[in-house]
Amino acid sequence: MGSGLFAQDSLVTVTAKRGDGILSLLRDQGVNPYDLYDDFIAMNIQDLRDSVHLYEGRTYRIPPLKEEEVELTTQADKQSTEIKKITSEEFAIFGKDHEDVILKSEKLKDAVYYLVSGHGGPDPGAMAVYAGKSIAEDEYAYDITLRLAKELLAHSATVYIIIQDKNDGIRDERILKIDHDEVAYGDKTIPLNQVKRLRQRVDIVNELHRKNRGKYQRLIVTHVDSRSKGQNIDVFFYHHEKSKNGKQLAQSIHNTFQKKYKKYQPNRTYSGTFEDRTSLYLVKKTHPAMTFIEIGNIRNKKDQRRILDPENRQALAKWISEGVLLDFEKGEIGPIR
């Protein structure tokens, strides 16, 4: 790693090799890739495919570290440790490589979020085959949910991850190994029966909602859809038909996606929608204002690239979190739900 990486008035440039992604490129420079992810995209947008993919052989600029990050790497060990204690916290559920959460702001310090990734345990959800290997909805929904949780924690939110796999953490592989050891919040075994599984999640969320009564609370459910192989879909959002706050949350995230597509993919129209879908069990039965997100079609080749690429999963989580921040800034509308 060149010393220029720490200079504010000079930039390191790196040529992408075959197989490089933004995360691996930044990691190879000895920096936390998630701290500089957005700056890297903004700085190199003209040389990125679909706003997140590198071109082999092209040269990319590495953003300079922020002043507080420079201080962490250059001060005496004792002082550096003291600063780190103030600015970061470890969460083992994200895995060893991702457990450090750097505090970015206190914007969400009064907000509570319940995050539910679809399926899990005995139910892998939608299935497909990629490169001769089976892939399952629950693994990818969970990875995106963990990345979203980390983004929200970085803004001081209280976050409950309702479906958990303590062995997986955030993973940067394309093909995520399928297992069945997920549990529900409180180390509860996930039932085999579908209705019981859904009811368990509803009961957990509603009980936590009751305990946090009076606080700003939101629920985000993440799924990956399964349709015909030829059907390419955008990310879309559902909410309860009678929930003004749920509609605002869904619309805030939807608007964020529209702006991101317009900025990063100006030649591509974003066709994702937000609409009421009260027939869905979790939408109908849970008490917090909520949005139900479908990430894409796991059987479609184009959507698979969105789901399998860890760079894309990080971008999805980041965009959702920005929509969440926008929703919080708008505040509640009328009744709590």
Side-chain angles (χ1 to χ4, degrees), residues 10 16 20 47 62 69 82 148 173 182 190 195 245 271 315:
S10 63
D20 274 345
D47 291 303
I62 305 298
E69 291 163 340
E82 290 173 352
L148 173 60
E173 296 81 27
E182 294 86 5
I190 299 174
V195 175
N245 290 319
S271 60

Side-chain angles (χ1 to χ4, degrees), residues 92-93 142 164-169 181 183 187:
I93 195 168
Y142 182 62
Q164 303 181 1
D165 187 329
K166 296 177 182 177
N167 299 322
D168 283 346
D181 59 350
V183 296
D187 282 331

